[in-house]
Amino acid sequence: MFSTNSIAPIITAQRNPRRRQRTDSDESVTVQQLSKKLKRSGITAESFQPPSARPANGYLHGNSSSSTQNGIVNYTEKQRGTAEYPASLTSRSKDASRKADRSSRGSRGDGSVELTRNGTYAVTGLATTPFQLQQQRSLEQWRGELAPNIGFAIATYHSRALVWRYHHSNATNSSKPLTIRLLHASEDSNQPLPLGIIVPSSPEPGLLIVMPVSGKVAYWESLSSAASVDLARQKQQAVQGVVAGMAFGEHVSAITEAEPQGFLLSLSSGRIAHLTIADPQGRASIHSRILRSSGTQSGGLFGSLRNVFGGTSWPKDLAAVKVGNSTQKGQRQCAIGTAKGSLQLWELNWNGAHSLKYEMDLKSKFLDSIRDTGAFPKDTDSQYLQVLDFAFLPAVVTGQEVTSTTSKSATRLLMLTAISSNTSSRYNLHVLDIVDDAVDVLVVHPISCYTTLITPESSKKVQLLVPEPGQTAYIVFAESVVLVSLEEIQETPDSQLQSEARRLPDPFQDVIDFRRDKGYQVVGCAAEVPPKGQRNSSCILMVQGYGLIKVTVAPLEDGLSSTERATITAETKLQQAVFFGSQQSLLEFSGRSEIQFSTEDVQNAALRISHSITSSSSKYLPTVGPSMEQQLQRRANALADLIRYLRKYYQPLDAATRWELLFEAEKLASAMAVWRIYEATPKDIPQGEKILLDEIVECISEEQKSENQPDHHETDAVRHWLIHDVWRLEHLVPWTAAALTLLYSESVQDRRPMSLAYRARLISEANDIHLAALETAYVFRQTNATLYGFDEDLMVEGLLNSGLKDMPQTWTSTGLICDSTHKLAVCFQDLAVDMEPVNSDSEDSGPSPELFRKIADENTRLVELSCKTHIERSRLLQSSENPDTRDRGLQFAHESDVSRRALLKGLVDMGQYRAAIGLGEKYRDLEALAEVLESEIQCSQEDLHNSTVDEEKKEIRAKIAICERQVDSYFDKYGTGWADAFFARFVAQGRISNLLVHGPKQRHHLTSFLRAHPELSSFGWINEVTSEGNYAAAADDLQRAQEQTDTVWARKAQLSMAKLASMAAGASQQREADKTTELNQAIDKTMDVLVAQDQLVEMLRPTLRGALNDTSAKVEILVQQHGKRFVKVKPTLRHAMREHFAQLVEDKVLDAEDLIDTISLLDEDSLDPADGFAARRFLVALRLVQLCSFERGEVARKNLLEDIVWRRCIIQDDWPKINRTELKDDAKVEAETEMTALFQTLREGFKTGFWDNNPPPQPSALLGAGTTVESLLTSSRYENVPESTLLGLARDLEIEDKAVQKCIDEGRLGEWWIGIVDAAKLSARNEADRIGEEQNRAGAAEQEFRKEMEERDIAAWGVGGAVAGEPRTGMDEEGDVVMGM
C-alpha cells in the first residue's frame, strides 16, 4: 500500500470461494432489496456491471486454483464470469443503465490523455481521477490503493476515504467519488494513514479499513453499507475487530492480500500478521494471528538458520511481502524478504493456519551473480547491497534470458537489488529459480538507465511489477518508473553460451520520470492483465497531484528480435520530448545522465524529426483535419519545441544543423502565410479563369511533390501539398513568375487573349504568394535567430552579415528564387502601361483602380525582396572556400547591382521616387541613389524649363531644392562613399566640368574624389588651384594629366602649366626645393622630347605641302618620300614607320623610343641638307635615349637603343666608296667625310659637349645588337611583343648589322674611326673658335657704340645727364633705361 509518506504493496481480495453461489432468483431479490439501501449513496443497482476489459493478475493459465501476479491475488475466468462489479458510483439518473452499457476501457475517446508514446510503450492519463485529488497534492496526506480486477480505486485520509470507479468511458460520472467516513479515526494528523483495500465480492465490492496504530479493523461487505450517511447504521453494518498481538509502539505499515479468506499485515517491527475476514462457515468475521515458525526446515545451500523469523526475532528491515501460487485448495504460498537478502517461504491456510517451509540468505548469491556480470568490481562490499522488492514469476514465463523449461514445482522470483555509493545506486534484476531448498540465480539484468541514489525512506516506496504476459518488468519509484524488457529470446548456440556466462545483451530499458518541480509522486500502483487476445502489458499508477495514469508496453513486433528492441535511440527521446513535452505537465523529458547520445546522433535525429514534421510523415501528427491552419500551426509548434529542447539539453549543436532546422521552421511559417493568402482569395472567379496557387501546384514537377491519391479520395491538391510538401517550398516559390508566363502563353496559343483584369488578378495573386512566402521567412529568421543559437546582432532583417562560412545554401536565395523574384518585379513594371485603367469605351475594362494601386504598392516590396535574395546569394557564394565559387559570387554581386539599379529606376519611372530612394538608402546602393537623384533633378529642371505657369515653376524649384538638400545631406551621412558615387555619375555622363561649380559641403569630398582618381587629373589641377590653392598638388595633377594626353599641343600646354605651378609651389614653400627641382627637371625632359617631335614634324612638313587633308594619303606620301631606301627591304620597320607617321600626321604624341626609331629610319638623301635638324637628327636621337626614363636594371634596353641609333647613323653613307681615295686629293676626301651623317653627328656632339659623358662607341661594338629574338628580349621594351613580330624585327636589324659589317670590312671604318673622330673634334673646335672671334668682335663694336652714344649725350645734356629743371634719365645696373633718375 502507498501513501504520501510510505508506499506499500497493493492488494486486492476475494470472497470465500466455498461460499454458496446465488441463483438468478436470489440475485434479483438481492438487487431489489439493495435498491432501497442505495438511495442515500451514490450507487444504483444498474451500477454493478462487469468491466469490459476483465483484468486478471494471474500467470497460471489452466490452473483451477486461484493465482497471483507479483503477490497480488487474481480470479479465475469462471469466478470473473459470475461476479458482478459496479460500473459507476455516482449515476442517479434514469438513464443510468444506458450509460453503463456504453462504459468501456476506452483510450482517448473516453477523455483520457496520451502523455507520451513511442514504438515500445505509451503513457496515458486517465480522466477518472476525482478533482480534489488532482488539486490537493501535498496539502493533505492520503494513501492510494487500486483494485485493477474490478477497476476501483481508493484514497484514504485520516478520517475519510474516497472510492471511485476509474475504468469507465464516461469520465464525468466516474470522476465523482464515493466519500466514506472511517470508524475509529485518529485526530492526530501525525499518525500513519489508515490502510484501505477494496474487497471484490458479489453483488458489489466490500471495503476493509485497518487503523495502523490502534490495530482496529472495520470491514463492510458492500460499499453501499460503508457509504451510509447514518453513522449508527454504518457501524452496525461493519464487521469490526482488532489485530491481535500488536506490541506497544508497533503499527501496521502495509497490507497484502492473501486469499483465500485473508490478508497479510506488515508491522513496523518487521513481524507479519495474518488477518482473515470470514470464519470457516463463510460468515464475515475478523480474526488475526502473528506468523510464527514452529519447526523451520532449512538446509542445503543456506545452512541452518532456524528460528530466524520465529518468535520476537523478526527483522525490522522488511523489504516486501508477496503472496504466490496456490499449492493446494485452501492454501497459498507466501514469500517474505528483507533488505539484507533473507527470504522466507510460507504456506498459508484459509483458516489462519500457517507454516514456514524454507528460509534462506541470498545475499552472497546476489553478490556473486553481480560480480559475474562484470558490472561491479570483484571486491564489492556486501554491506552496500539491499533488496528492494521482488515478484513471483509463473513457471511458463522465464524472462529474456531463460530459454530452458523447469520443473512444475519450481518457484520463480524476480528480485530487485541495489548497491549504493555516496552519490548513486546501481540496480539489478535477478531471476531466481527455487526448487525445494535449492536456489539458482539464472541471470542478472543490470539496470543501466537509472542510477539515482536510493535512500532509506525512498527504498520503502519501490515496487516491482510484472504484468501479464510477463514481457516487461515495471520498477516503480516515487518519482520514476523504469521499464525493463523480459522478452524471451530465440534459442541459438550463441544465446546458450551467453546465457551460461550470464552475459546476454542488456534488455530494453527506459525511464519515465515525473516532474520534480511539480511535486508529483507515485502513491499507488497495480498491474493489469490485458483482455484476451491482446499481448500488451500495462500497469496503473496513482500520482499525487495529477491522478491516475496507465503505462502500456506494446508486444514485440513481428520480425523484430528482443536485442534489436533494446536500443534506445536519440530520435525516440527527441520525439517524446517534442510531441508530448509541451502538451502535459506530468512527465519530465529533460533526459538522464545515464542515457547519453553522441552529438552526431542527436543532430541526425533532430534533422529526421524536423523533416518528418514538415513532410507530415511523423506518426505523432495527424495528416487530416478540418482546419489546415491548425494543422500547420501544430507542426510549427512541434518544430519550436524541438529546437528549444535541443538548445536546453543537447548543446552544442553545429551551425549547419541549426541552420537546417531553422530553414525547415521558416518554410512551415511561410506555408502558413501562403495558406492564409489562399484562404482569402475569392473562389468565385469567372469561367475560364484559374486561381494561381491551384495552377502552381499543378505545374510543379512530379519529382518535386508527393503524389496525390484520388483513389483515397484526396482531391484537394493545395491541401495535399501543404500537408506533405512544405519542405519543398523552394520549388513552389519560383513558379509564381513562371505560372504567369505559362498561362499567358497558353492564352496566346489558344487564341483567347487574356484580359487586362485577369492578368492583373493573376499578378496580384503571384505577388501575394511570393511576398507571403519570402517576407514571412525573413521575418521568422530574424525573430528566431536567438532561439536557434545565432547572434541576432549579426543579422539584419533576416540577412546574415557575417558568419556565413558555416551557413548552407539558404532556400530563400536559390538561383531560381532570385531570378523569379526579379522577373516578378519587372513583370509589373513592363506591363504597367498595359495595366492602367483603359478607356471606358473599350471592351476590356481593365483592372480596377484599387487592384492597380495594390499591385503598384506591392511592386516596391518585390523590389526589396529581390534586393534581399540577391544580396544573400552573393554573400553565400563569396564566403565559399572554393575559388571558382567565390568568383561566381563576385560576378553575381555585380549582376545584382545592375539589376537592382534597373529595378529602382523602374520604380522612379512609375512615380515611386520616394520608394526608390528609401530602398537605395536601406541597401546603401549609393550608385543607384546618385542615379535616382540626378535623374530627378534633371527631369525637374527640364520641367522647369518647359513650364510657363509661375505657381508650377515655384513647386518645381522647391522640388529641386529638396533634392539638392538631400544630395548635400548624403555627404554628411555616407561621406566618401556617396561622394564617389555622386561624382562618378557626372564623370560617366561627361559632365565633370559641372563638378567644378560645387557647394561648400562638396568641396572636401570633391578634392578627395579627384585625388583618388588620377585619370581625372586634367580636372583635378583646376580644383587644386581654385578650391584648395595647392599648387604642388596642381603641378602633380598636370604632370599626370599630360601623360594621359595624346596630342602634342595639349601635352606641351599641360607641361608648361605644371612647371608654372611647380614654381609657384616652390615660391609659396608648399614643396621642398629639391623636390621642386626634381619635378622641374622631369618636366624639362618631357618637354625636350616634345620639342624634338615638333622639330621632326617641321622637317617633314614641306613633304606634305599640297597633300590632301587625309591621314592615309599623307602617311603614304611620307613613306614614299622618306622610306624608299632605308626601310624598303625591312617590312617590320617599314610597318612601324607607317604607324609612327600616322601619329605624327594626327599630331599625336609619339613614345620617346618610337620617336627615336622614326628619326633614325629616315632616308638621308630625302632630307634637306640645309635643315639644321636633318644634320643633327642622330644626335637628337641619342640625346632622346638619355632622356628616356628607364627603370633601374634596364641598362640593356638603353644600350640596345643606343647601338641601333649608332648603327643606323653609320650606314646612312657609302663608306666603301668613301674609302676608295684613288684620284682624290685631300680636300675632296675631307669634303666627302664631312658630308657623312657620322661626321656631322660627331661634330655636333663635340660642339655641345654631349660626348663628354657619352663617348661614341667603336663600330665593331655595334655588331649583333638586336639581331636575334633572344637579344631583343634582353630589353623590357619587347616583353609583350608577339614572337612573330620579334622574328621580323630581328631579320630587319640583321640587315642593318650586315651593312655595318660591310662598312667595317670594305670601307675600313674601324681604321678610319679615330681619324674621323679627331677631324670632327677639330672641326667643332675651329667652328667654336670662329664663333668666339665673331662674338668678341661684336662685343667690341657694341662697346664702341655705347661709348660714342654716351659722349653725344654729355655733349647735348651735360655731365649730370639732364638739363637744368628737366628730369634725369639714366640706366640701371641691368642696362635698362630709367626715366626721372
Side-chain angles (χ1 to χ4, degrees):
M1 184 176 294
F2 287 81
S3 72
T4 54
N5 289 333
S6 62
I7 303 176
I10 306 302
I11 327 144
T12 59
Q14 177 192 2
R15 297 288 292 166
N16 186 356
R18 299 173 58 188
R19 189 172 181 177
R20 181 180 64 87
Q21 300 295 323
R22 294 184 176 89
T23 64
D24 293 341
S25 60
D26 293 338
E27 188 68 33
S28 62
V29 172
T30 304
V31 173
Q32 291 175 2
Q33 295 175 348
L34 183 63
S35 62
K36 296 181 181 180
K37 301 178 181 180
L38 300 180
K39 290 183 179 180
R40 294 185 180 181
S41 72
I43 304 174
T44 65
E46 292 83 355
S47 300
F48 301 101
Q49 302 294 335
S52 59
R54 294 186 178 184
N57 290 339
Y59 275 119
L60 298 182
H61 305 290
N63 193 335
S64 61
S65 60
S66 60
S67 60
T68 67
Q69 174 174 292
N70 310 325
I72 301 175
V73 177
N74 184 35
Y75 295 90
T76 64
E77 289 293 332
K78 182 176 179 180
Q79 290 170 328
R80 286 201 297 268
T82 58
E84 293 181 343
Y85 305 131
S88 174
L89 293 177
T90 59
S91 177
R92 297 186 180 184
S93 64
K94 296 179 180 180
D95 201 26
S97 177
R98 178 169 56 86
K99 293 181 179 180
D101 292 340
R102 293 199 307 264
S103 67
S104 64
R105 280 269 187 98
S107 57
R108 284 172 289 184
D110 62 357
S112 61
V113 178
E114 191 175 55
L115 301 177
T116 188
R117 170 168 56 93
N118 57 31
T120 302
Y121 62 87
V123 181
T124 305
L126 303 182
T128 54
T129 304
F131 179 77
Q132 54 266 48
L133 294 183
Q134 299 178 32
Q135 298 298 315
Q136 287 178 347
R137 296 187 182 178
S138 60
L139 298 180
E140 186 177 4
Q141 295 179 353
W142 57 279
R143 185 193 299 267
E145 189 69 63
L146 291 162
N149 306 70
I150 55 177
F152 272 83
I154 181 174
T156 57
Y157 297 85
H158 282 284
S159 60
R160 71 188 189 281
L162 299 180
V163 180
W164 72 97
R165 170 81 170 168
Y166 68 84
H167 275 311
H168 197 279
S169 62
N170 191 327
T172 303
N173 281 342
S174 60
S175 62
K176 296 179 181 179
L178 185 67
T179 303
I180 300 174
R181 293 190 305 272
L182 301 183
L183 302 179
H184 316 296
S186 173
E187 297 181 356
D188 187 357
S189 60
N190 295 322
Q191 289 189 1
L193 290 167
L195 292 87
I197 189 170
I198 304 295
V199 181
S201 61
S202 179
E204 63 171 307
L207 176 64
L208 176 67
I209 299 293
V210 178
M211 292 299 171
V213 176
S214 63
K216 294 181 179 180
V217 180
Y219 168 62
W220 290 272
E221 291 187 280
S222 66
L223 291 177
S224 56
S225 301
S228 176
V229 296
D230 187 345
L231 182 59
R233 185 181 180 87
Q234 183 192 31
K235 290 183 178 180
Q236 180 182 2
Q237 294 180 346
V239 179
Q240 302 184 49
V242 66
V243 179
M246 287 182 60
F248 178 78
E250 195 174 29
H251 65 271
V252 181
S253 59
I255 183 170
T256 304
E257 186 176 359
E259 281 290 336
Q261 302 294 335
F263 305 88
L264 293 178
L265 304 181
S266 300
L267 304 183
S268 58
S269 62
R271 297 191 300 165
I272 304 298
H274 186 197
L275 175 72
T276 59
I277 57 175
D279 59 16
Q281 288 71 38
R283 294 188 300 268
S285 177
I286 302 298
H287 299 279
S288 67
R289 65 179 64 182
I290 302 298
L291 295 186
R292 302 178 186 275
S293 59
S294 58
T296 306
Q297 299 178 7
S298 176
L301 295 174
F302 307 103
S304 177
L305 299 174
R306 301 174 59 87
N307 297 322
V308 173
F309 293 93
T312 59
S313 63
W314 285 87
K316 294 185 178 181
D317 60 340
L318 189 66
V321 177
K322 296 295 176 71
V323 178
N325 304 331
S326 296
T327 56
Q328 59 185 7
K329 189 174 181 179
Q331 290 187 348
R332 177 79 59 191
Q333 187 180 49
C334 170
I336 302 174
T338 67
K340 293 182 179 180
S342 298
L343 180 68
Q344 283 187 336
L345 293 179
W346 293 75
E347 288 287 351
L348 304 179
N349 196 284
W350 63 272
N351 60 7
H354 55 269
S355 63
L356 176 64
K357 291 179 60 179
Y358 307 108
E359 56 185 323
M360 54 203 74
D361 186 358
L362 304 177
K363 178 176 261 187
S364 60
K365 285 277 187 180
F366 292 148
L367 290 174
D368 292 341
S369 62
I370 292 173
R371 293 189 185 103
D372 290 343
T373 64
F376 299 98
K378 295 293 184 180
D379 57 349
T380 303
D381 195 336
S382 62
Q383 64 177 332
Y384 297 113
L385 183 140
Q386 65 180 127
V387 176
L388 301 178
D389 198 10
F390 62 90
F392 279 93
L393 292 176
V396 295
V397 177
T398 61
Q400 176 183 350
E401 305 76 6
V402 183
T403 58
S404 60
T405 58
T406 58
S407 63
K408 294 183 179 179
S409 61
T411 299
R412 183 150 298 170
L413 295 179
L414 182 68
M415 302 199 75
L416 174 65
T417 63
I419 295 181
S420 302
S421 63
N422 293 332
T423 57
S424 64
S425 298
R426 302 302 299 267
Y427 302 90
N428 297 273
L429 285 176
H430 306 258
V431 179
L432 305 182
D433 202 2
I434 304 175
V435 180
D436 295 331
D437 59 351
V439 178
D440 186 19
V441 180
L442 300 180
V443 155
V444 178
H445 286 311
I447 307 301
S448 59
C449 64
Y450 186 87
T451 59
T452 301
L453 180 65
I454 193 76
T455 62
E457 181 65 25
S458 61
S459 64
K460 301 176 182 179
K461 302 179 181 181
V462 181
Q463 288 290 299
L464 176 63
L465 303 176
V466 186
E468 284 191 11
Q471 65 184 14
T472 306
Y474 295 71
I475 306 174
V476 183
F477 295 89
E479 297 176 338
S480 304
V481 178
V482 179
L483 306 179
V484 182
S485 174
L486 300 177
E487 291 283 354
E488 182 177 356
I489 66 172
Q490 295 181 352
E491 184 173 352
T492 64
D494 291 339
S495 66
Q496 289 179 349
L497 293 175
Q498 290 175 330
S499 178
E500 293 173 0
R502 299 187 178 95
R503 291 302 302 273
L504 278 170
D506 291 339
F508 169 82
Q509 300 179 14
D510 202 0
V511 183
I512 302 172
D513 286 312
F514 303 111
R515 292 185 57 177
R516 295 172 178 81
D517 59 333
K518 299 291 185 178
Y520 296 127
Q521 285 194 349
V522 177
V523 294
C525 64
E528 285 195 325
V529 175
K532 187 175 182 180
Q534 294 187 13
R535 296 185 298 162
N536 295 337
S537 66
S538 61
C539 70
I540 303 295
L541 306 178
M542 300 180 72
V543 181
Q544 178 187 1
Y546 184 86
L548 272 66
I549 65 172
K550 182 176 181 179
V551 182
T552 303
V553 177
L556 194 65
E557 297 180 6
D558 295 336
L560 184 68
S561 68
S562 58
T563 54
E564 291 173 336
R565 189 185 199 178
T567 304
I568 302 176
T569 64
E571 185 171 0
T572 299
K573 286 299 182 182
L574 290 178
Q575 285 173 336
Q576 289 182 283
V578 170
F579 296 111
F580 301 101
S582 63
Q583 300 178 9
Q584 46 82 31
S585 60
L586 174 65
L587 303 183
E588 176 65 60
F589 296 102
S590 60
R592 302 188 64 88
S593 60
E594 299 91 342
I595 304 176
Q596 296 291 330
F597 307 103
S598 68
T599 301
E600 182 180 1
D601 288 343
V602 173
Q603 292 177 164
N604 292 335
L607 293 176
R608 288 193 296 270
I609 293 173
S610 178
H611 178 72
S612 71
I613 294 172
T614 54
S615 62
S616 294
S617 59
S618 173
K619 60 185 178 181
Y620 302 103
L621 292 173
T623 58
V624 180
S627 173
M628 175 55 64
E629 183 162 358
Q630 289 182 3
Q631 203 266 359
L632 291 170
Q633 185 62 58
R634 183 172 183 175
R635 290 153 65 190
N637 293 341
L639 290 179
D641 293 339
L642 173 61
I643 188 60
R644 291 192 186 98
Y645 184 79
L646 290 171
R647 293 292 314 286
K648 185 174 183 181
Y649 298 110
Y650 290 102
Q651 288 277 40
L653 301 177
D654 62 39
T657 300
R658 287 181 280 120
W659 276 121
E660 292 293 346
L661 295 175
L662 176 56
F663 293 158
E664 295 276 270
E666 290 172 7
K667 292 178 182 179
L668 205 49
S670 297
M672 293 175 63
V674 171
W675 171 253
R676 295 189 189 103
I677 292 296
Y678 182 71
E679 281 277 83
T681 301
K683 305 301 187 293
D684 53 342
I685 58 177
Q687 186 176 2
E689 295 186 4
K690 299 179 179 180
I691 296 176
L692 187 63
L693 187 57
D694 293 337
E695 187 68 15
I696 289 174
V697 174
E698 183 68 24
C699 290
I700 295 176
S701 170
E702 295 298 331
E703 291 79 15
Q704 297 173 352
K705 64 180 178 182
S706 59
E707 183 179 359
N708 201 355
Q709 298 180 353
D711 296 343
H712 295 171
H713 307 287
E714 291 181 348
T715 58
D716 194 331
V718 173
R719 279 183 169 86
H720 183 272
W721 192 94
L722 289 171
I723 291 172
H724 300 286
D725 296 306
V726 167
W727 61 282
R728 296 166 167 167
L729 187 61
E730 66 271 17
H731 298 302
L732 179 139
V733 174
W735 270 102
T736 52
L740 292 177
T741 304
L742 180 63
L743 291 173
Y744 184 77
S745 300
E746 290 178 352
S747 68
V748 173
Q749 293 174 0
D750 297 341
R751 297 182 178 180
R752 291 182 293 101
M754 185 181 291
S755 67
L756 292 177
Y758 184 22
R759 291 166 61 188
R761 182 178 66 78
L762 289 178
I763 290 178
S764 175
E765 291 182 14
N767 290 350
D768 291 339
I769 296 171
H770 210 88
L771 291 170
L774 295 182
E775 286 184 341
T776 302
Y778 283 117
V779 171
F780 185 92
R781 187 179 302 167
Q782 182 68 43
T783 305
N784 294 276
T786 304
L787 175 62
Y788 283 81
F790 300 110
D791 190 348
E792 187 178 5
D793 296 335
L794 301 179
M795 193 178 294
V796 178
E797 295 187 354
L799 291 179
L800 198 62
N801 295 324
S802 61
L804 294 165
K805 184 177 181 181
D806 298 325
M807 187 178 188
Q809 171 61 53
T810 59
W811 72 273
T812 51
S813 60
T814 63
L816 288 176
I817 287 182
C818 290
D819 185 59
S820 64
T821 309
H822 178 78
K823 286 182 178 179
L824 199 58
V826 172
C827 180
F828 173 72
Q829 295 182 0
D830 291 344
L831 297 176
V833 176
D834 295 336
M835 292 179 60
E836 290 179 357
V838 298
N839 193 319
S840 59
D841 297 335
S842 174
E843 295 181 0
D844 190 352
S845 60
S848 64
E850 294 78 9
L851 180 59
F852 185 81
R853 284 194 297 270
K854 171 185 176 292
I855 301 174
D857 293 339
E858 289 172 345
N859 192 252
T860 301
R861 295 162 60 192
L862 282 172
V863 172
E864 181 175 3
L865 266 184
S866 181
C867 296
K868 277 188 175 182
T869 56
H870 281 73
I871 290 173
E872 184 175 66
R873 182 167 180 79
S874 64
R875 287 178 180 175
L876 281 173
L877 292 175
Q878 292 179 62
S879 66
S880 173
E881 296 181 355
N882 189 321
D884 295 336
T885 304
R886 290 198 298 270
D887 293 340
R888 286 196 296 114
L890 293 173
Q891 178 65 24
F892 186 80
H894 174 71
E895 296 172 356
S896 301
D897 293 342
V898 175
S899 65
R900 178 173 60 248
R901 288 159 197 163
L903 291 176
L904 295 181
K905 183 64 168 56
L907 288 177
V908 176
D909 294 340
M910 291 190 303
Q912 295 184 338
Y913 160 76
R914 286 296 169 193
I917 289 293
L919 291 178
E921 291 179 349
K922 185 173 185 177
Y923 294 104
R924 292 185 68 90
D925 193 336
L926 305 182
E927 290 80 2
L929 283 175
E931 181 178 357
V932 170
L933 280 171
E934 188 269 339
S935 176
E936 187 71 12
I937 292 174
Q938 276 194 343
C939 292
S940 299
Q941 289 174 343
E942 292 177 3
D943 293 341
L944 180 63
H945 178 74
N946 298 328
S947 177
T948 59
V949 181
D950 293 340
E951 189 65 28
E952 187 180 50
K953 288 184 176 181
K954 184 178 179 181
E955 293 178 359
I956 294 174
R957 290 191 184 95
K959 184 177 180 181
I960 294 174
I962 292 174
C963 292
E964 290 177 344
R965 285 196 297 271
Q966 195 160 16
V967 169
D968 288 341
S969 68
Y970 286 163
F971 283 103
D972 296 332
K973 185 175 183 179
Y974 300 117
T976 303
W978 166 249
D980 291 346
F982 182 69
F983 296 142
R985 179 71 182 166
F986 281 80
V987 174
Q989 293 184 336
R991 298 188 301 115
I992 189 172
S993 58
N994 294 357
L995 293 178
L996 300 178
V997 183
H998 52 71
K1001 285 191 175 182
Q1002 301 179 17
R1003 170 184 166 183
H1004 169 71
H1005 294 290
L1006 178 59
T1007 300
S1008 299
F1009 173 77
L1010 292 174
R1011 288 178 178 175
H1013 293 79
E1015 68 276 9
L1016 302 178
S1017 296
S1018 57
F1019 294 92
W1021 74 271
I1022 301 175
N1023 180 73
E1024 295 291 353
V1025 173
T1026 59
S1027 297
E1028 304 297 332
N1030 191 334
Y1031 298 106
D1036 294 337
D1037 279 343
L1038 286 165
Q1039 175 70 356
R1040 285 191 296 268
Q1042 62 87 20
E1043 296 174 355
Q1044 302 162 9
T1045 305
D1046 60 353
T1047 56
V1048 176
W1049 70 269
R1051 183 170 289 191
K1052 291 171 66 176
Q1054 289 169 336
L1055 284 170
S1056 300
M1057 290 187 291
K1059 191 167 185 178
L1060 287 173
S1062 179
M1063 295 170 65
S1068 58
Q1069 296 183 350
Q1070 293 181 357
R1071 175 173 286 167
E1072 298 176 0
D1074 55 346
K1075 292 185 178 180
T1076 301
T1077 302
E1078 182 181 350
L1079 178 61
N1080 290 342
Q1081 290 175 351
I1083 293 173
D1084 291 340
K1085 286 183 178 181
T1086 306
M1087 186 66 78
D1088 288 344
V1089 176
L1090 295 176
V1091 169
Q1093 181 172 338
D1094 280 343
Q1095 292 173 348
L1096 174 61
V1097 171
E1098 287 299 321
M1099 184 183 70
L1100 298 176
R1101 194 178 301 279
T1103 307
L1104 299 176
R1105 212 173 270 130
L1108 296 175
N1109 190 19
D1110 179 73
T1111 301
S1112 299
K1114 292 180 178 180
V1115 171
E1116 193 62 31
I1117 291 174
L1118 290 173
V1119 172
Q1120 291 178 2
Q1121 180 68 23
H1122 301 285
K1124 58 187 177 182
R1125 182 181 68 85
F1126 195 77
V1127 296
K1128 184 177 181 180
V1129 294
K1130 304 169 185 173
T1132 303
L1133 292 176
R1134 185 179 180 86
H1135 177 73
M1137 174 182 277
R1138 186 182 297 275
E1139 290 184 345
H1140 300 163
F1141 280 159
Q1143 290 182 270
L1144 292 174
V1145 168
E1146 294 177 352
D1147 199 26
K1148 302 294 185 182
V1149 177
L1150 273 178
D1151 178 77
E1153 292 177 274
D1154 292 339
L1155 180 60
I1156 293 170
D1157 280 341
T1158 305
I1159 293 174
S1160 61
L1161 289 174
L1162 296 175
D1163 290 340
E1164 184 71 19
D1165 53 5
S1166 67
L1167 303 178
D1168 183 3
D1171 192 308
F1173 182 78
R1176 52 188 176 84
R1177 62 189 179 104
F1178 285 104
L1179 181 62
V1180 171
L1182 292 171
R1183 189 167 182 270
L1184 290 176
V1185 172
Q1186 302 302 320
L1187 294 177
C1188 288
S1189 300
F1190 296 116
E1191 299 291 338
R1192 291 184 178 180
E1194 291 188 317
V1195 178
R1197 182 172 182 173
K1198 174 177 176 292
N1199 293 339
L1200 177 60
L1201 195 56
E1202 280 185 339
D1203 291 348
I1204 290 174
V1205 173
W1206 276 111
R1207 193 162 57 193
R1208 290 171 182 171
C1209 176
I1210 290 172
I1211 62 178
Q1212 289 293 321
D1213 300 287
D1214 189 355
W1215 285 101
K1217 182 180 178 181
I1218 296 173
N1219 181 57
R1220 292 194 291 271
T1221 58
E1222 61 271 15
L1223 303 179
K1224 296 179 183 179
D1225 55 17
D1226 288 345
K1228 187 172 183 179
V1229 173
E1230 290 178 2
E1232 289 179 353
T1233 303
E1234 291 176 356
M1235 291 299 294
T1236 62
L1238 176 60
F1239 183 87
Q1240 293 176 2
T1241 301
L1242 290 172
R1243 183 177 58 189
E1244 291 297 323
F1246 284 123
K1247 288 167 61 176
T1248 58
F1250 183 75
W1251 309 127
D1252 295 342
N1253 297 320
N1254 302 280
Q1258 287 284 341
S1260 59
L1262 307 176
L1263 297 175
T1267 57
T1268 62
V1269 174
E1270 291 75 13
S1271 62
L1272 287 174
L1273 290 176
T1274 59
S1275 172
S1276 58
R1277 179 185 183 186
Y1278 302 108
E1279 286 179 352
N1280 300 318
V1281 177
E1283 186 177 359
S1284 59
T1285 303
L1286 291 178
L1287 286 171
L1289 179 59
R1291 284 194 294 265
D1292 291 351
L1293 295 179
E1294 188 178 7
I1295 294 173
E1296 295 179 357
D1297 194 69
K1298 289 180 180 179
V1300 173
Q1301 186 66 50
K1302 183 179 179 180
C1303 292
I1304 295 173
D1305 295 341
E1306 300 180 12
R1308 296 191 302 162
L1309 185 58
E1311 300 175 18
W1312 284 74
W1313 182 257
I1314 297 177
I1316 294 173
V1317 172
D1318 291 341
K1321 185 185 299 184
L1322 179 61
S1323 175
R1325 184 182 300 116
N1326 292 336
E1327 186 174 354
D1329 292 342
R1330 180 180 58 80
I1331 293 174
E1333 292 178 356
E1334 290 179 356
Q1335 289 178 348
N1336 289 336
R1337 286 194 296 268
E1342 183 181 356
Q1343 240 178 3
E1344 185 66 26
F1345 175 75
R1346 179 175 294 185
K1347 181 178 180 181
E1348 184 179 352
M1349 292 303 296
E1350 288 179 353
E1351 290 176 349
R1352 287 182 181 180
D1353 289 341
I1354 292 172
W1357 301 96
V1359 180
V1363 181
E1366 296 291 335
R1368 294 187 301 170
T1369 300
M1371 299 179 65
D1372 60 11
E1373 295 177 353
E1374 297 181 359
D1376 297 329
V1377 178
V1378 180
M1379 302 296 295
M1381 292 182 64

